[in-house]
């Protein structure tokens, strides 16, 4: 099945529809659904006064679990549960790099925090502890250096902390529709920057 022909005008309605159709899916052994998790992450970002781009990153970091919706090209990665890379791949054409990089780095950020923040491991949910094993465990010293060299690593760490805190049942959140304007602003800013880059 070919993926839908997505553009900067259709990507946000596509994501809103995806959350509304698939958001009730379970979230890999967590006590919240996928959409509860993603909406709680966005709410924590807003509560910390994060800008639009990081709110979008918190909201979309796990979209790689749904890459089958974007067409067959993405399905293999989804099945292998390389949902970090798969999510980045579907976001990268439309969103600023910080958004797609926070998705790409959110598993790495967990492994980084497990290696560098002594209190972090205790904050992991049981399901997150289980997946840490498949994901390679805490980072080794050379991996830590490479991670810190990524210009988006600090943003990815912030998103990761909201990610871990977004697994609390019955937390009130806004609805995905309430984020449509914010998401479109973030997409439009990226498209405007691309256009001015081409003009110079
Ligand atoms: Fe997550």
């Amino acid at each position: 099945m070919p993926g839908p022909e997505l553009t900067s005008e259709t990507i946000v309605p596509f994501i809103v529809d995806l959350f509304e159709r698939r958001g009730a899916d379970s979230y890999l052994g967590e006590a919240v659904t996928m959409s509860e998790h993603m909406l709680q992450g966005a709410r924590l970002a807003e509560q910390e006064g994060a800008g639009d781009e990081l709110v979008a990153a918190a909201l979309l970091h796990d979209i790689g679990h749904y890459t089958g919706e974007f067409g067959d090209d993405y399905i293999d990665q989804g099945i292998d549960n390389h949902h970090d890379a798969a999510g980045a791949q579907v976001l990268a054409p439309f969103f600023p790099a910080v958004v797609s990089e926070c998705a790409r780095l959110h598993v790495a950020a967990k492994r980084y925090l497990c290696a560098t923040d002594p209190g972090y491991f205790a904050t992991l949910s049981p399901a997150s502890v289980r997946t840490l094993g498949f994901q390679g465990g805490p980072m080794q010293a050379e991996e830590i250096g490479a991670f810190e060299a990524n210009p988006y690593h600090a943003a990815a760490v912030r998103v990761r902390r909201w990610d871990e805190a977004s697994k609390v049942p019955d937390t009130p959140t806004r609805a995905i529709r309430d984020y449509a304007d914010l998401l479109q602003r973030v997409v439009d800013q990226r498209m405007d920057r691309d256009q001015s880059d081409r003009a110079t």
Side-chain angles (χ1 to χ4, degrees):
M1 177 184 78
E5 282 295 325
L6 292 169
T7 68
S8 58
E9 269 105 61
T10 59
I11 182 69
V12 173
F14 178 81
I15 288 171
V16 169
D17 177 68
L18 180 57
F19 268 62
E20 290 181 342
R21 281 187 299 110
R22 300 288 309 278
D25 290 4
S26 69
Y27 175 37
L28 305 174
E30 302 289 359
V32 292
T33 66
M34 280 302 305
S35 75
E36 284 174 320
H37 172 58
M38 293 158 83
L39 291 163
Q40 283 184 27
R43 178 170 175 270
L44 290 172
E46 290 175 295
Q47 285 172 343
E48 270 190 30
D52 286 354
E53 292 184 342
L54 281 194
V55 173
L59 187 62
L60 302 177
H61 75 274
D62 268 334
I63 201 151
H65 288 298
Y66 293 123
T67 45
E69 300 273 345
F70 291 77
D72 286 348
D73 286 356
Y74 300 100
I75 286 179
D76 284 350
Q77 297 191 59
I79 289 172
D80 286 351
N81 205 22
H82 291 152
H83 72 286
D84 45 359
Q89 203 182 339
V90 298
L91 295 172
F94 306 109
F95 286 88
V98 65
V99 176
S100 53
E101 283 295 283
C102 284
R104 192 174 69 80
L105 295 172
H106 82 273
V107 171
K110 169 180 156 182
R111 298 182 56 233
Y112 172 78
L113 284 167
C114 284
T116 59
D117 177 345
Y120 181 74
F121 182 81
T123 71
L124 295 181
S125 66
S128 201
V129 170
R130 268 196 307 279
T131 52
L132 178 65
F134 311 128
Q135 291 161 345
M139 281 186 173
Q140 304 297 310
E142 65 280 6
E143 294 176 292
I144 292 171
F147 182 77
E148 288 175 344
N150 186 303
Y152 299 105
H153 85 276
V157 164
R158 289 188 77 189
V159 169
R160 183 70 221 187
R161 291 189 189 279
W162 297 323
D163 181 359
E164 220 47 67
S166 304
K167 302 175 179 179
V168 183
D170 302 321
T171 303
T173 65
R174 298 163 71 195
I176 183 62
R177 274 183 190 275
D178 299 328
Y179 291 98
D181 289 348
L182 178 150
L183 291 174
Q184 193 63 56
R185 266 199 311 277
V186 172
V187 169
D188 289 346
Q189 281 159 10
R190 152 76 194 277
M191 296 302 146
D192 289 350
R193 278 202 294 269
D194 283 3
Q195 221 153 37
S196 59
D197 286 352
R198 276 196 296 274
T200 51

